[in-house]
Amino acid sequence: MKPVARLGVGIGWRPEIADAVERLDGLDWVEVVAENICPGHLPASLRRLLDRGVRVVPHGVSLGLGGADRPDPERLAALGERAVTLGAPLVTEHIAFVRSSWPALEAGHLLPVPRTRDALDVLCENVRIAQDALPVPLALENIAALFSWPGEELTEARFLTELVERTGVRLLVDVANLHTNRVNRGEDPAAVLDAIPLEALAYVHVAGGVERDGVWHDTHAHPVPPVVLDVLARLRERVDPPGVLLERDDDFPPEAELAGELTRIREVISRPGAGPASAAGPGRPVRESAPDGSRAPGLADGPEVPDGPEVPVEPEVPGEPLPPVAPVSEGVRAGVGIGQAALLSALVAGTPVPEGFDERRVRVQARALAAKRASVVAKLAPELPPILGGPDAYRTAFLAYARNRPMTAGYRRDAMEFAEHLLIQDLPADPAARRRLTLWWQDRAGARPPHRIVRWARALVGRAA
C-alpha cells in the first residue's frame, strides 16, 4: 500500500479560535468541518493558512454513509467541491448514520450502525458510491457510542477490517472514541488496534471528554485526559501515524492551553518504537485514483498537494484488485432502515425504546441530542436567547419544544420552527419580547410556502405589532 501524505500535527479549525490557530507554533495542518464553509467565501483565516502552505482537510459530518439510503449526490458533490477548493489531499467522514427517510427524521449527531452483515453490506456499497463521486481519497472515522445494538454479528475490529478489504477506504482512527467505547461498550482499545489494518491509516483524532455516572461523554469540550493519550501511545507503538489532530469544539481554552495540548501530543508521537505497520506494504488495496482513472491528489508524490512534509514514495507494489460488490437488495436496505428509524424515533421523537437496547443509555443519548440541538440553534440564531430572557430561559423553552418535535431538516430550519412554535402559543409572555421574536421570524421567513403553521404564525404578526 502506498503511503499517504504526511500531515504532521494539527488542530481542528473553528471560527472561535481562528486567530489562535494562526499563531500556533509548528502547526502543520488543520481540519475544517466541511458543512461549515462555503467554497466561494472561505474565511480569511483559512485563506491565510492556505497561503502559508498549511494543508486544510475537509471533515464531513452529514453524509450518513452508514444509513440505509444511498448517499445523496448533492451532499457528495458539495464535499468534493470543498476538497477541490482547499486543495485537500483527502476528505474524511464517519462510519455512522444521521437520519432516516421514513419517517423523515434528523439526528443532528453521529449514531452507531449495527455491526451486522446486512449493515456492513449497505455501508460498503454506500462507500463505493462515495468513492466514485469524490475527486480525492476518502477516509472514514470510527465513532464514539453510548450504547450497543442488540444482535451484533461482528466485533468493531472485524467490521472495520472487512470495510477496508471490500472498499479500499482509508481509516481515520479516533483514539478518544476508542476510549469512549471502552467505558460505554466494554471494548478493549488495544484489541481493536491489534486487529484493524493500520496500513490503511490516514490520520488520528485526539479529543477530550468527561465521565458522568459511569458513562463517558465524548464532549470535545474538555482537555485531553491522560487515558486518551495512553491510547494514542498504544497506537504509536504499532504504527507511525501520518497525521494527528487535536479536536476542540466548545468551551475553548486560552491559546496557551491549546498549545500545551499540542505539545503533549507531539511528545507522545515522537517516542521511538513504531512497529512494522509503520512501513507501507502491499497490505489491502486502497483507492488512490479519481473516478476517471487519473491519479487523485493527496499522495506523497501528488503534484496538486501544497508544499509540506512528505514521505518517500515506495516502489509500486501491485495489490489485489478490490472484490466486486454485488448490489444490495432493496429488502436488505429496508430492513436496515426499519431498525435505524425505530432507534432514531426513540431518540428524537419520544417513542418507546426498541427491544434489546439499553433503555437507560438510549435515554441518556436522547437528552444529549436535545442539548446539542439547543446549543447549535443558539449559535446559528444568537438573537434567540436574549429575546427569550437569557441562556437559561432559552434552554428551558427549547428543550420543552424539542421533547416531542424531532428535527426533520437542518438546524436553521429547526430555529425557525422553534420560533413558530413559540408564537403559536403566544410566547414569550412579555409583549415586547414577543414582538421582537415576531420580527425576527418575519425577517427570515422569506417567500416560504405558507403551510398551516406558517399561516398561523403570520396571523400573529398583527397581534404582536
Side-chain angles (χ1 to χ4, degrees), residues 164-186:
V164 171
E165 290 174 339
R166 293 170 60 178
T167 66
V169 75
R170 291 195 180 273
L171 295 178
L172 192 180
V173 174
D174 190 314
V175 293
N177 291 349
L178 291 179
H179 171 69
T180 300
N181 294 340
R182 168 168 51 193
V183 176
N184 296 345
R185 302 204 288 189

Side-chain angles (χ1 to χ4, degrees), residues 135-413:
V136 295
L138 171 68
L140 295 181
E141 178 182 351
N142 59 302
I143 72 162
L146 289 176
F147 55 83
S148 298
W149 281 77
E152 293 193 318
E153 301 165 339
L154 302 165
T155 64
E156 175 80 347
R158 190 67 224 161
F159 194 87
L160 295 176
T161 298
E162 291 199 23
L163 173 64
V164 171
E165 290 174 339
R166 293 170 60 178
T167 66
V169 75
R170 291 195 180 273
L171 295 178
L172 192 180
V173 174
D174 190 314
V175 293
N177 291 349
L178 291 179
H179 171 69
T180 300
N181 294 340
R182 168 168 51 193
V183 176
N184 296 345
R185 302 204 288 189
E187 298 170 354
D188 181 9
V192 175
L193 293 174
D194 281 340
I196 62 175
L198 288 176
E199 67 270 21
L201 181 64
Y203 61 87
V204 177
H205 273 176
V206 181
V210 64
E211 187 172 351
R212 300 190 189 98
D213 299 325
V215 176
W216 187 270
H217 297 267
D218 180 47
T219 63
H220 294 192
H222 292 80
V224 177
V227 68
V228 170
L229 292 177
D230 287 345
V231 181
L232 177 62
R234 301 292 80 78
L235 180 143
R236 177 64 182 87
E237 292 170 358
R238 294 161 172 81
V239 68
D240 183 10
V244 181
L245 183 117
L246 171 65
E247 288 189 293
R248 187 76 178 231
D249 294 326
D250 208 348
D251 289 341
F252 298 100
E255 185 175 334
E257 291 186 29
L258 288 176
E261 290 206 292
L262 288 173
T263 296
R264 287 188 286 277
I265 289 171
R266 290 189 182 97
E267 289 171 351
V268 172
I269 64 173
S270 64
R271 298 171 190 167
S278 63
R284 297 167 177 84
V286 170
R287 288 199 171 184
E288 296 174 341
S289 298
D292 62 1
S294 62
R295 185 167 181 78
L299 303 177
D301 58 343
E304 297 181 45
V305 180
D307 291 338
E310 299 181 346
V311 294
V313 178
E314 300 290 333
E316 185 71 43
V317 180
E320 297 177 6
L322 289 170
V325 175
V328 178
S329 72
E330 293 306 313
V332 168
R333 284 189 177 272
V336 171
I338 288 170
Q340 291 179 347
L343 173 61
L344 186 51
S345 181
L347 289 169
V348 303
T351 60
V353 176
E355 184 177 355
F357 283 95
D358 183 323
E359 184 170 349
R360 185 181 74 87
R361 291 291 183 88
V362 171
R363 294 306 179 201
V364 170
Q365 180 73 84
R367 290 193 294 271
L369 291 179
K372 180 178 180 180
R373 277 177 71 184
S375 176
V376 174
V377 166
K379 288 182 179 180
L380 291 175
E383 304 88 354
L384 291 179
I387 289 174
L388 298 180
D392 291 343
Y394 159 79
R395 184 180 177 86
T396 298
F398 189 91
L399 293 179
Y401 150 79
R403 188 171 297 120
N404 294 304
R405 291 173 178 82
M407 184 165 58
T408 57
Y411 285 108
R412 287 180 173 81
R413 183 66 247 152

